Amino acid sequence: MRWLLACLAALLLSGCGYNQFQVLDEQTKAAWAEVLNQYQRRADLIPNLVNTVKGEANFEQETLTRVIEARAKATSVQVTPETLNDPQALQRFQQAQGELSSALSRLLVVSERYPNLRANQGFQDLRVQLEGTENRITVARNRYIKTVTDYNVLARSFPTNLTAMVFGYQPKASFTVQNEAEISRPPSVDFGTPSRSTPPATTTPTAPTAPSLPASPASR
């Protein structure tokens, strides 16, 4: 009798989407782990990039400092498994990563003003690695968005929404692409000559030293 009840329970759970919830939940966690892995890969590349740029005389310290501060903010955001079910926590994480993307975009644009950096093979290699990582981030984010969409459709569709209610399966948070697109928009940089009305400088001020970054672990 117990065996029969167990079989009936298994059939009911399978038919109401219970197993699908388990599969999609695991896929969502795996997709999220890959997103974090690619963001960490980018963070690991930045110290080497900053150290290379710091070797360029008179490089814009404000631009460099923004990258350092944005990296520090992005890596300080606490990410836990509960983040997937907390839209506000995911938004804070996304905003921090978006600000880092914007700061990096500006640094790479400004670097075009420095022939020595353009000719520096180490800098160019880092640039290629960063571009490749950005592409991986996009792929990982899109995969995560897809798995979250599948999970949320299951949680809101009848009759599987009844299973979601019984077991407390809430819809998961996803990325807000529109907001990050605005944050990550590359800045416009004016390479024109300064206005004639600007008086010439009589002394050459010493550029402030950008804060240093901790040594980066090997990129994955």
Side-chain angles (χ1 to χ4, degrees):
M1 184 66 178
R2 291 181 180 178
W3 179 83
L4 180 59
L5 290 175
C7 290
L8 289 174
L11 289 173
L12 288 173
L13 289 175
S14 176
C16 66
Y18 179 84
N19 290 341
Q20 289 176 275
F21 275 113
Q22 308 316 305
V23 171
L24 290 177
D25 186 54
E26 290 302 317
Q27 289 179 353
T28 301
K29 291 176 182 177
W32 175 244
E34 182 61 18
V35 170
L36 296 181
N37 180 55
Q38 296 306 329
Y39 275 130
Q40 184 61 50
R41 176 185 173 87
R42 180 174 69 174
D44 291 345
L45 289 170
I46 292 175
N48 291 334
L49 179 71
V50 168
N51 290 332
T52 302
V53 172
K54 285 171 67 175
E56 174 63 32
N58 301 322
F59 190 85
E60 294 184 12
Q61 293 299 310
E62 181 182 0
T63 298
L64 197 57
T65 300
R66 284 182 179 177
V67 171
I68 295 171
E69 292 176 347
R71 179 187 184 272
K73 180 179 179 181
T75 54
S76 69
V77 175
Q78 296 297 317
V79 179
T80 65
E82 288 73 26
T83 302
L84 299 180
N85 301 317
D86 187 345
Q88 292 182 344
L90 185 60
Q91 185 178 9
R92 288 193 296 269
F93 173 80
Q94 179 184 3
Q95 182 176 3
Q97 295 295 341
E99 290 173 359
L100 179 54
S101 295
S102 179
L104 280 172
S105 295
R106 179 175 179 82
L107 185 146
L108 294 178
V109 170
V110 171
S111 68
E112 292 298 320
R113 300 176 62 179
Y114 298 87
N116 289 341
L117 280 179
R118 294 201 304 269
N120 186 319
Q121 187 60 47
F123 177 81
Q124 294 303 325
D125 290 344
L126 286 169
R127 182 168 189 158
V128 169
Q129 291 182 60
L130 274 173
E131 290 173 351
T133 301
E134 292 291 349
N135 290 335
R136 293 188 184 96
I137 288 172
T138 299
V139 172
R141 280 166 48 91
N142 288 341
R143 186 175 295 123
Y144 173 75
I145 291 171
K146 174 63 167 59
T147 57
V148 168
T149 299
D150 292 343
Y151 181 95
N152 289 346
V153 168
L154 186 67
R156 291 168 174 154
S157 301
F158 182 84
T160 51
N161 63 329
L162 301 178
T163 303
M165 292 174 59
V166 171
F167 291 96
Y169 299 149
Q170 299 295 325
K172 296 182 183 294
S174 189
F175 286 102
T176 54
V177 179
Q178 296 84 355
N179 291 344
E180 182 165 289
E182 182 64 27
I183 294 172
S184 303
R185 181 176 298 171
S188 59
V189 180
D190 184 7
F191 295 137
T193 57
S195 172
R196 293 182 179 179
S197 61
T198 303
T202 55
T203 60
T204 302
T206 302
T209 303
S212 59
L213 283 169
S216 170
S219 298
R220 285 182 286 274

